[in-house]
Amino acid sequence: MSDFISEAGKKIKEMAGTVDNMTKFTKKSKLEAAYVENDKFADSNLHEGYFCYNCIYWIAAGGGRCMIVSEDGPDEQGKMSGVIAPHGCCLGYHPNYDKLHDTRAPGEGIAQDTEKNREKITTADVV
């Protein structure tokens, strides 16, 4: 039983350290991140495309937040929403493949190889 309590104590300290490190991290402003929030996309299927909803840095709890971009200040279009909207996007976008999915009907469009989509491609790979 004491081993369990000891392990639980270690986990709590690790989590506290993680939260402390995240609060010390300086976020970019919306302008620095080239964040844009277009209301035309508010009712879009957020599982497709480069939306904040599909980004690994986006946090839904407590309103739209981002781990790397501050929700304060104006976006690229001068809009001040006070949140990182699920239909927003910025240059820091990094896909969360657990949220993305292809909703096209079979045979519609190009066949998608989801495992291939997970590969990282750099400028060195482009000829």
Side-chain angles (χ1 to χ4, degrees), residues 49-91:
Y50 300 98
F51 297 116
C52 288
Y53 175 81
N54 295 320
C55 182
I56 63 171
Y57 301 117
W58 190 71
I59 305 166
R65 302 277 189 264
C66 178
M67 292 169 46
I68 61 171
V69 179
S70 173
E71 60 273 3
D72 301 323
D75 71 1
E76 284 284 304
Q77 299 174 341
K79 181 178 181 178
M80 295 188 47
S81 65
V83 297
I84 300 297
H87 59 278
C89 191
C90 77
L91 294 177

mmCIF file of all heavy atoms in Angstrom, residues 49-91:
data_model
loop_
_atom_site.group_PDB
_atom_site.id
_atom_site.type_symbol
_atom_site.label_atom_id
_atom_site.label_comp_id
_atom_site.label_asym_id
_atom_site.label_seq_id
_atom_site.Cartn_x
_atom_site.Cartn_y
_atom_site.Cartn_z
ATOM 1 N N GLY A 49 -9.996 19.648 -42.844
ATOM 2 C CA GLY A 49 -9.322 20.933 -42.986
ATOM 3 C C GLY A 49 -8.384 21.257 -41.842
ATOM 4 O O GLY A 49 -8.231 20.499 -40.892
ATOM 5 N N TYR A 50 -7.762 22.415 -41.949
ATOM 6 C CA TYR A 50 -6.709 22.841 -41.029
ATOM 7 C C TYR A 50 -7.245 23.727 -39.918
ATOM 8 O O TYR A 50 -6.709 24.772 -39.633
ATOM 9 C CB TYR A 50 -5.610 23.564 -41.809
ATOM 10 C CG TYR A 50 -4.980 22.702 -42.864
ATOM 11 C CD1 TYR A 50 -5.374 22.785 -44.181
ATOM 12 C CD2 TYR A 50 -3.990 21.798 -42.516
ATOM 13 C CE1 TYR A 50 -4.792 21.981 -45.147
ATOM 14 C CE2 TYR A 50 -3.402 20.994 -43.462
ATOM 15 C CZ TYR A 50 -3.814 21.094 -44.785
ATOM 16 O OH TYR A 50 -3.243 20.296 -45.725
ATOM 17 N N PHE A 51 -8.326 23.330 -39.287
ATOM 18 C CA PHE A 51 -8.934 24.113 -38.222
ATOM 19 C C PHE A 51 -8.242 23.865 -36.889
ATOM 20 O O PHE A 51 -7.719 22.786 -36.630
ATOM 21 C CB PHE A 51 -10.421 23.762 -38.087
ATOM 22 C CG PHE A 51 -11.235 24.080 -39.303
ATOM 23 C CD1 PHE A 51 -11.851 23.069 -40.027
ATOM 24 C CD2 PHE A 51 -11.384 25.390 -39.731
ATOM 25 C CE1 PHE A 51 -12.609 23.359 -41.140
ATOM 26 C CE2 PHE A 51 -12.147 25.692 -40.851
ATOM 27 C CZ PHE A 51 -12.755 24.670 -41.554
ATOM 28 N N CYS A 52 -8.316 24.864 -36.002
ATOM 29 C CA CYS A 52 -7.771 24.709 -34.647
ATOM 30 C C CYS A 52 -8.332 23.464 -33.973
ATOM 31 O O CYS A 52 -7.637 22.793 -33.214
ATOM 32 C CB CYS A 52 -8.100 25.929 -33.796
ATOM 33 S SG CYS A 52 -7.155 27.397 -34.260
ATOM 34 N N TYR A 53 -9.580 23.139 -34.248
ATOM 35 C CA TYR A 53 -10.216 21.954 -33.663
ATOM 36 C C TYR A 53 -9.378 20.696 -33.887
ATOM 37 O O TYR A 53 -9.350 19.803 -33.059
ATOM 38 C CB TYR A 53 -11.611 21.777 -34.261
ATOM 39 C CG TYR A 53 -12.288 20.506 -33.812
ATOM 40 C CD1 TYR A 53 -12.931 20.455 -32.578
ATOM 41 C CD2 TYR A 53 -12.283 19.365 -34.614
ATOM 42 C CE1 TYR A 53 -13.544 19.288 -32.159
ATOM 43 C CE2 TYR A 53 -12.891 18.212 -34.194
ATOM 44 C CZ TYR A 53 -13.523 18.173 -32.963
ATOM 45 O OH TYR A 53 -14.125 17.019 -32.544
ATOM 46 N N ASN A 54 -8.699 20.637 -35.017
ATOM 47 C CA ASN A 54 -7.889 19.474 -35.373
ATOM 48 C C ASN A 54 -6.421 19.634 -35.029
ATOM 49 O O ASN A 54 -5.599 18.835 -35.451
ATOM 50 C CB ASN A 54 -7.998 19.195 -36.878
ATOM 51 C CG ASN A 54 -9.388 18.803 -37.274
ATOM 52 O OD1 ASN A 54 -10.052 18.070 -36.563
ATOM 53 N ND2 ASN A 54 -9.850 19.297 -38.398
ATOM 54 N N CYS A 55 -6.075 20.652 -34.297
ATOM 55 C CA CYS A 55 -4.672 20.919 -33.963
ATOM 56 C C CYS A 55 -4.335 20.326 -32.590
ATOM 57 O O CYS A 55 -5.146 20.383 -31.661
ATOM 58 C CB CYS A 55 -4.433 22.430 -33.955
ATOM 59 S SG CYS A 55 -2.722 22.884 -33.615
ATOM 60 N N ILE A 56 -3.136 19.780 -32.452
ATOM 61 C CA ILE A 56 -2.750 19.168 -31.175
ATOM 62 C C ILE A 56 -2.606 20.203 -30.066
ATOM 63 O O ILE A 56 -2.608 19.852 -28.896
ATOM 64 C CB ILE A 56 -1.450 18.346 -31.294
ATOM 65 C CG1 ILE A 56 -0.261 19.235 -31.675
ATOM 66 C CG2 ILE A 56 -1.624 17.192 -32.262
ATOM 67 C CD1 ILE A 56 1.079 18.559 -31.600
ATOM 68 N N TYR A 57 -2.501 21.477 -30.400
ATOM 69 C CA TYR A 57 -2.321 22.519 -29.391
ATOM 70 C C TYR A 57 -3.632 23.119 -28.887
ATOM 71 O O TYR A 57 -3.639 23.869 -27.933
ATOM 72 C CB TYR A 57 -1.439 23.649 -29.941
ATOM 73 C CG TYR A 57 -0.086 23.176 -30.372
ATOM 74 C CD1 TYR A 57 0.312 23.271 -31.696
ATOM 75 C CD2 TYR A 57 0.804 22.631 -29.459
ATOM 76 C CE1 TYR A 57 1.569 22.842 -32.096
ATOM 77 C CE2 TYR A 57 2.057 22.185 -29.853
ATOM 78 C CZ TYR A 57 2.432 22.298 -31.172
ATOM 79 O OH TYR A 57 3.658 21.868 -31.559
ATOM 80 N N TRP A 58 -4.741 22.810 -29.533
ATOM 81 C CA TRP A 58 -6.024 23.404 -29.174
ATOM 82 C C TRP A 58 -6.626 22.695 -27.971
ATOM 83 O O TRP A 58 -6.621 21.474 -27.880
ATOM 84 C CB TRP A 58 -6.997 23.336 -30.348
ATOM 85 C CG TRP A 58 -8.238 24.135 -30.137
ATOM 86 C CD1 TRP A 58 -8.339 25.494 -30.129
ATOM 87 C CD2 TRP A 58 -9.558 23.640 -29.930
ATOM 88 N NE1 TRP A 58 -9.648 25.882 -29.926
ATOM 89 C CE2 TRP A 58 -10.413 24.753 -29.801
ATOM 90 C CE3 TRP A 58 -10.106 22.370 -29.845
ATOM 91 C CZ2 TRP A 58 -11.780 24.633 -29.581
ATOM 92 C CZ3 TRP A 58 -11.466 22.251 -29.622
ATOM 93 C CH2 TRP A 58 -12.288 23.373 -29.499
ATOM 94 N N ILE A 59 -7.167 23.481 -27.014
ATOM 95 C CA ILE A 59 -7.768 22.942 -25.802
ATOM 96 C C ILE A 59 -9.206 23.436 -25.729
ATOM 97 O O ILE A 59 -9.456 24.644 -25.737
ATOM 98 C CB ILE A 59 -6.999 23.426 -24.547
ATOM 99 C CG1 ILE A 59 -5.517 23.083 -24.669
ATOM 100 C CG2 ILE A 59 -7.588 22.828 -23.283
ATOM 101 C CD1 ILE A 59 -4.643 23.804 -23.673
ATOM 102 N N ALA A 60 -10.166 22.509 -25.646
ATOM 103 C CA ALA A 60 -11.576 22.882 -25.630
ATOM 104 C C ALA A 60 -12.062 23.246 -24.236
ATOM 105 O O ALA A 60 -12.995 24.023 -24.096
ATOM 106 C CB ALA A 60 -12.428 21.743 -26.181
ATOM 107 N N ALA A 61 -11.458 22.700 -23.185
ATOM 108 C CA ALA A 61 -11.934 22.925 -21.818
ATOM 109 C C ALA A 61 -11.858 24.410 -21.444
ATOM 110 O O ALA A 61 -10.853 25.058 -21.677
ATOM 111 C CB ALA A 61 -11.113 22.098 -20.839
ATOM 112 N N GLY A 62 -12.926 24.910 -20.873
ATOM 113 C CA GLY A 62 -12.931 26.302 -20.416
ATOM 114 C C GLY A 62 -12.988 27.322 -21.531
ATOM 115 O O GLY A 62 -12.562 28.460 -21.361
ATOM 116 N N GLY A 63 -13.481 26.943 -22.692
ATOM 117 C CA GLY A 63 -13.506 27.872 -23.823
ATOM 118 C C GLY A 63 -12.307 27.629 -24.709
ATOM 119 O O GLY A 63 -11.353 26.979 -24.307
ATOM 120 N N GLY A 64 -12.326 28.127 -25.903
ATOM 121 C CA GLY A 64 -11.244 27.879 -26.854
ATOM 122 C C GLY A 64 -9.921 28.462 -26.401
ATOM 123 O O GLY A 64 -9.794 29.667 -26.224
ATOM 124 N N ARG A 65 -8.950 27.611 -26.190
ATOM 125 C CA ARG A 65 -7.607 28.016 -25.776
ATOM 126 C C ARG A 65 -6.594 27.290 -26.656
ATOM 127 O O ARG A 65 -6.894 26.293 -27.286
ATOM 128 C CB ARG A 65 -7.339 27.643 -24.308
ATOM 129 C CG ARG A 65 -8.305 28.237 -23.307
ATOM 130 C CD ARG A 65 -7.892 29.646 -22.943
ATOM 131 N NE ARG A 65 -8.661 30.182 -21.845
ATOM 132 C CZ ARG A 65 -9.722 30.949 -21.987
ATOM 133 N NH1 ARG A 65 -10.183 31.238 -23.190
ATOM 134 N NH2 ARG A 65 -10.346 31.433 -20.941
ATOM 135 N N CYS A 66 -5.399 27.796 -26.655
ATOM 136 C CA CYS A 66 -4.312 27.179 -27.399
ATOM 137 C C CYS A 66 -3.085 27.161 -26.508
ATOM 138 O O CYS A 66 -2.855 28.095 -25.727
ATOM 139 C CB CYS A 66 -4.028 27.964 -28.670
ATOM 140 S SG CYS A 66 -2.659 27.300 -29.645
ATOM 141 N N MET A 67 -2.293 26.122 -26.630
ATOM 142 C CA MET A 67 -1.083 26.015 -25.821
ATOM 143 C C MET A 67 0.013 26.949 -26.300
ATOM 144 O O MET A 67 0.922 27.267 -25.550
ATOM 145 C CB MET A 67 -0.583 24.567 -25.818
ATOM 146 C CG MET A 67 -1.509 23.629 -25.079
ATOM 147 S SD MET A 67 -1.155 21.868 -25.284
ATOM 148 C CE MET A 67 0.581 21.760 -25.053
ATOM 149 N N ILE A 68 -0.039 27.412 -27.556
ATOM 150 C CA ILE A 68 1.049 28.229 -28.087
ATOM 151 C C ILE A 68 0.637 29.629 -28.530
ATOM 152 O O ILE A 68 1.482 30.472 -28.760
ATOM 153 C CB ILE A 68 1.773 27.514 -29.255
ATOM 154 C CG1 ILE A 68 0.821 27.246 -30.410
ATOM 155 C CG2 ILE A 68 2.421 26.226 -28.770
ATOM 156 C CD1 ILE A 68 1.507 26.742 -31.659
ATOM 157 N N VAL A 69 -0.667 29.873 -28.650
ATOM 158 C CA VAL A 69 -1.152 31.188 -29.098
ATOM 159 C C VAL A 69 -2.085 31.771 -28.040
ATOM 160 O O VAL A 69 -2.992 31.097 -27.559
ATOM 161 C CB VAL A 69 -1.899 31.080 -30.451
ATOM 162 C CG1 VAL A 69 -2.429 32.434 -30.890
ATOM 163 C CG2 VAL A 69 -1.004 30.491 -31.515
ATOM 164 N N SER A 70 -1.871 33.029 -27.687
ATOM 165 C CA SER A 70 -2.718 33.717 -26.717
ATOM 166 C C SER A 70 -4.080 34.016 -27.337
ATOM 167 O O SER A 70 -4.166 34.408 -28.502
ATOM 168 C CB SER A 70 -2.051 35.019 -26.283
ATOM 169 O OG SER A 70 -2.926 35.759 -25.476
ATOM 170 N N GLU A 71 -5.121 33.848 -26.537
ATOM 171 C CA GLU A 71 -6.477 34.127 -27.037
ATOM 172 C C GLU A 71 -6.797 35.615 -27.036
ATOM 173 O O GLU A 71 -7.799 36.039 -27.587
ATOM 174 C CB GLU A 71 -7.527 33.361 -26.218
ATOM 175 C CG GLU A 71 -7.565 33.680 -24.757
ATOM 176 C CD GLU A 71 -6.590 32.852 -23.926
ATOM 177 O OE1 GLU A 71 -5.814 32.033 -24.458
ATOM 178 O OE2 GLU A 71 -6.584 33.059 -22.719
ATOM 179 N N ASP A 72 -5.942 36.425 -26.441
ATOM 180 C CA ASP A 72 -6.159 37.873 -26.382
ATOM 181 C C ASP A 72 -5.659 38.554 -27.654
ATOM 182 O O ASP A 72 -4.808 38.039 -28.354
ATOM 183 C CB ASP A 72 -5.425 38.469 -25.181
ATOM 184 C CG ASP A 72 -5.886 37.859 -23.866
ATOM 185 O OD1 ASP A 72 -7.091 37.581 -23.747
ATOM 186 O OD2 ASP A 72 -5.037 37.642 -22.988
ATOM 187 N N GLY A 73 -6.181 39.736 -27.904
ATOM 188 C CA GLY A 73 -5.710 40.541 -29.017
ATOM 189 C C GLY A 73 -6.388 40.222 -30.336
ATOM 190 O O GLY A 73 -7.157 39.277 -30.450
ATOM 191 N N PRO A 74 -6.088 41.030 -31.355
ATOM 192 C CA PRO A 74 -6.728 40.865 -32.662
ATOM 193 C C PRO A 74 -6.076 39.761 -33.493
ATOM 194 O O PRO A 74 -4.901 39.457 -33.344
ATOM 195 C CB PRO A 74 -6.494 42.228 -33.325
ATOM 196 C CG PRO A 74 -5.203 42.696 -32.737
ATOM 197 C CD PRO A 74 -5.198 42.201 -31.321
ATOM 198 N N ASP A 75 -6.898 39.165 -34.379
ATOM 199 C CA ASP A 75 -6.351 38.203 -35.328
ATOM 200 C C ASP A 75 -5.893 38.944 -36.586
ATOM 201 O O ASP A 75 -5.846 40.172 -36.610
ATOM 202 C CB ASP A 75 -7.371 37.096 -35.635
ATOM 203 C CG ASP A 75 -8.555 37.556 -36.481
ATOM 204 O OD1 ASP A 75 -8.625 38.745 -36.872
ATOM 205 O OD2 ASP A 75 -9.428 36.727 -36.773
ATOM 206 N N GLU A 76 -5.550 38.215 -37.619
ATOM 207 C CA GLU A 76 -5.050 38.800 -38.870
ATOM 208 C C GLU A 76 -6.043 39.755 -39.524
ATOM 209 O O GLU A 76 -5.645 40.641 -40.264
ATOM 210 C CB GLU A 76 -4.697 37.687 -39.868
ATOM 211 C CG GLU A 76 -3.398 36.969 -39.560
ATOM 212 C CD GLU A 76 -2.197 37.811 -39.931
ATOM 213 O OE1 GLU A 76 -2.086 38.228 -41.095
ATOM 214 O OE2 GLU A 76 -1.365 38.044 -39.043
ATOM 215 N N GLN A 77 -7.334 39.553 -39.253
ATOM 216 C CA GLN A 77 -8.363 40.403 -39.857
ATOM 217 C C GLN A 77 -8.839 41.495 -38.904
ATOM 218 O O GLN A 77 -9.807 42.181 -39.184
ATOM 219 C CB GLN A 77 -9.545 39.543 -40.305
ATOM 220 C CG GLN A 77 -9.166 38.515 -41.342
ATOM 221 C CD GLN A 77 -10.302 37.561 -41.671
ATOM 222 O OE1 GLN A 77 -11.257 37.419 -40.922
ATOM 223 N NE2 GLN A 77 -10.181 36.899 -42.801
ATOM 224 N N GLY A 78 -8.166 41.624 -37.747
ATOM 225 C CA GLY A 78 -8.532 42.646 -36.783
ATOM 226 C C GLY A 78 -9.647 42.254 -35.833
ATOM 227 O O GLY A 78 -10.078 43.040 -35.002
ATOM 228 N N LYS A 79 -10.140 41.027 -35.938
ATOM 229 C CA LYS A 79 -11.222 40.546 -35.086
ATOM 230 C C LYS A 79 -10.687 40.204 -33.699
ATOM 231 O O LYS A 79 -9.655 39.553 -33.575
ATOM 232 C CB LYS A 79 -11.879 39.316 -35.716
ATOM 233 C CG LYS A 79 -13.023 38.766 -34.919
ATOM 234 C CD LYS A 79 -13.648 37.588 -35.627
ATOM 235 C CE LYS A 79 -14.815 37.066 -34.803
ATOM 236 N NZ LYS A 79 -15.462 35.958 -35.484
ATOM 237 N N MET A 80 -11.410 40.632 -32.657
ATOM 238 C CA MET A 80 -11.018 40.325 -31.278
ATOM 239 C C MET A 80 -12.120 39.490 -30.633
ATOM 240 O O MET A 80 -13.132 40.022 -30.194
ATOM 241 C CB MET A 80 -10.768 41.613 -30.500
ATOM 242 C CG MET A 80 -9.587 42.366 -31.066
ATOM 243 S SD MET A 80 -9.013 43.794 -30.136
ATOM 244 C CE MET A 80 -8.916 43.256 -28.493
ATOM 245 N N SER A 81 -11.930 38.172 -30.597
ATOM 246 C CA SER A 81 -12.965 37.279 -30.080
ATOM 247 C C SER A 81 -12.710 36.848 -28.641
ATOM 248 O O SER A 81 -13.620 36.389 -27.973
ATOM 249 C CB SER A 81 -13.068 36.037 -30.966
ATOM 250 O OG SER A 81 -11.860 35.300 -30.890
ATOM 251 N N GLY A 82 -11.477 36.938 -28.167
ATOM 252 C CA GLY A 82 -11.159 36.522 -26.806
ATOM 253 C C GLY A 82 -10.996 35.021 -26.630
ATOM 254 O O GLY A 82 -10.835 34.539 -25.515
ATOM 255 N N VAL A 83 -11.068 34.271 -27.721
ATOM 256 C CA VAL A 83 -10.880 32.816 -27.684
ATOM 257 C C VAL A 83 -10.064 32.379 -28.899
ATOM 258 O O VAL A 83 -9.895 33.141 -29.852
ATOM 259 C CB VAL A 83 -12.213 32.026 -27.684
ATOM 260 C CG1 VAL A 83 -13.041 32.317 -26.461
ATOM 261 C CG2 VAL A 83 -13.000 32.288 -28.948
ATOM 262 N N ILE A 84 -9.590 31.159 -28.849
ATOM 263 C CA ILE A 84 -9.055 30.510 -30.045
ATOM 264 C C ILE A 84 -10.201 29.630 -30.533
ATOM 265 O O ILE A 84 -10.547 28.628 -29.905
ATOM 266 C CB ILE A 84 -7.799 29.659 -29.731
ATOM 267 C CG1 ILE A 84 -6.691 30.537 -29.139
ATOM 268 C CG2 ILE A 84 -7.327 28.933 -30.982
ATOM 269 C CD1 ILE A 84 -6.156 31.623 -30.060
ATOM 270 N N ALA A 85 -10.828 30.034 -31.609
ATOM 271 C CA ALA A 85 -12.040 29.375 -32.091
ATOM 272 C C ALA A 85 -11.726 28.017 -32.726
ATOM 273 O O ALA A 85 -10.674 27.854 -33.340
ATOM 274 C CB ALA A 85 -12.737 30.265 -33.120
ATOM 275 N N PRO A 86 -12.634 27.058 -32.601
ATOM 276 C CA PRO A 86 -12.410 25.754 -33.231
ATOM 277 C C PRO A 86 -12.285 25.855 -34.748
ATOM 278 O O PRO A 86 -11.612 25.056 -35.375
ATOM 279 C CB PRO A 86 -13.627 24.931 -32.831
ATOM 280 C CG PRO A 86 -14.590 25.869 -32.209
ATOM 281 C CD PRO A 86 -13.869 27.116 -31.849
ATOM 282 N N HIS A 87 -12.897 26.901 -35.349
ATOM 283 C CA HIS A 87 -12.823 27.092 -36.795
ATOM 284 C C HIS A 87 -11.712 28.059 -37.197
ATOM 285 O O HIS A 87 -11.628 28.464 -38.339
ATOM 286 C CB HIS A 87 -14.176 27.567 -37.349
ATOM 287 C CG HIS A 87 -14.649 28.851 -36.755
ATOM 288 N ND1 HIS A 87 -15.294 28.900 -35.540
ATOM 289 C CD2 HIS A 87 -14.561 30.126 -37.182
ATOM 290 C CE1 HIS A 87 -15.588 30.149 -35.256
ATOM 291 N NE2 HIS A 87 -15.153 30.926 -36.245
ATOM 292 N N GLY A 88 -10.815 28.395 -36.255
ATOM 293 C CA GLY A 88 -9.668 29.252 -36.552
ATOM 294 C C GLY A 88 -8.494 28.420 -37.040
ATOM 295 O O GLY A 88 -8.549 27.196 -37.073
ATOM 296 N N CYS A 89 -7.427 29.092 -37.423
ATOM 297 C CA CYS A 89 -6.207 28.399 -37.832
ATOM 298 C C CYS A 89 -5.037 29.380 -37.806
ATOM 299 O O CYS A 89 -5.225 30.580 -37.948
ATOM 300 C CB CYS A 89 -6.344 27.808 -39.223
ATOM 301 S SG CYS A 89 -4.980 26.688 -39.608
ATOM 302 N N CYS A 90 -3.820 28.831 -37.623
ATOM 303 C CA CYS A 90 -2.635 29.681 -37.620
ATOM 304 C C CYS A 90 -1.440 28.922 -38.192
ATOM 305 O O CYS A 90 -1.559 27.755 -38.548
ATOM 306 C CB CYS A 90 -2.330 30.179 -36.207
ATOM 307 S SG CYS A 90 -1.552 28.977 -35.133
ATOM 308 N N LEU A 91 -0.291 29.596 -38.229
ATOM 309 C CA LEU A 91 0.914 28.974 -38.772
ATOM 310 C C LEU A 91 1.503 27.909 -37.863
ATOM 311 O O LEU A 91 2.337 27.135 -38.293
ATOM 312 C CB LEU A 91 1.980 30.053 -39.031
ATOM 313 C CG LEU A 91 1.646 31.058 -40.119
ATOM 314 C CD1 LEU A 91 2.735 32.114 -40.218
ATOM 315 C CD2 LEU A 91 1.458 30.370 -41.453
#
